[in-house]
Amino acid sequence: MGKKSLVFMFILLVTMGCTSKVNTSVTEQNDNESNTVQEEPQKEVSAEEISENPDSETTEKNNQKQELEDLALEVNGQVYSDSSQFSEYVTGVKTRLNTEEKVIALTLDACGGENGSGYDEELISFLVENNIKADLFVNARWIDEQYEAFVELAANPLFTIQNHGTEHKPLSVMPRSAWGISSTSSQEEIVEEIMENQMKIFEITGEIPQYFRSGTAFYDDTAVQIAEDLGVQVVNFDVIGDGGATFTKEEVSQEMLKAQPGSIVILHMNQPQSETAEGVKDAVLALLEQGFSFVHLNEYDLE
């Protein structure tokens, strides 16, 4: 074979080798692009981890529930002194907002029970239509009777849901009574009266009430301390707005107009046959004209 032939073959081999490398590179590039395309769905799958949030929320809720149960056990295991007071205004009970601003807190009780499980829709509708805030103190028995209404109220930002007890009992470490209603009679019963409804409200709404008011709003001083150790402030009032839903329209309005800056007013939302709604309408409109506004309890320190 001559030199020219050898040179030709050498060039041919080199050329084929370069072509092979180029083809290989193209193939590798195509493979890489193919792999890149195939990896995109994997990113989408990892983004689906968002769907795990409900499980995380469930875990968090279960943890909070366990903390409430542990707290009840802890408080039941503590030793408290004997009580020396029993009334609506014992040491530790909050009755006012700590402010001189022209603000008022409306607190509405829903007592439940045989004669107290109604729902004053007229009253609530007026508050909603006029954008009036209120704190709703709800008893466990009322929740059972008015479940759908309770869920709707709990979802409305105009309202907060607070604890009005499980069986609507006055709180005492010894047998007492108020307004003909027998009280709790031991530390354990006080914890049950507060915490069973606390758990009920939490399980339905996902929120833990900050405030507690007992049935009849009577306590002994030991019970107030127990309530505070259970994580709630005991809240009563300095204005009795409707006398347990027994006042006439005129009486309701007259009493509510006695409110001062920082007042906490007690009313009832479980007696639709009463004149509470009509009296509240007149009083609220008059108070607004006087420059008052209506706030939630948690917007101010209490005293």
Side-chain angles (χ1 to χ4, degrees), residues 173-229:
V173 291
M174 62 183 68
R176 290 182 165 115
S177 67
W179 301 106
I181 299 176
S182 297
S183 72
T184 58
S185 58
S186 67
Q187 178 176 327
E188 291 74 16
E189 286 186 26
I190 290 171
V191 173
E192 288 177 4
E193 179 67 12
I194 296 172
M195 294 304 286
E196 286 187 10
N197 196 37
Q198 194 83 333
M199 292 285 291
K200 188 184 196 75
I201 292 171
F202 171 66
E203 288 180 351
I204 297 171
T205 69
E207 300 290 335
I208 300 174
Q210 296 177 252
Y211 307 109
F212 177 84
R213 178 180 293 152
S214 71
T216 74
F218 268 70
Y219 320 82
D220 66 29
D221 48 325
T222 303
V224 174
Q225 182 60 59
I226 291 171
E228 291 178 352
D229 290 345

Side-chain angles (χ1 to χ4, degrees), residues 85-101:
Q85 308 170 35
F86 183 68
S87 77
E88 297 165 299
Y89 303 103
V90 301
T91 303
V93 173
K94 311 300 183 183
T95 59
R96 287 181 44 81
L97 308 174
N98 185 14
T99 181
E100 295 301 320
E101 298 176 22

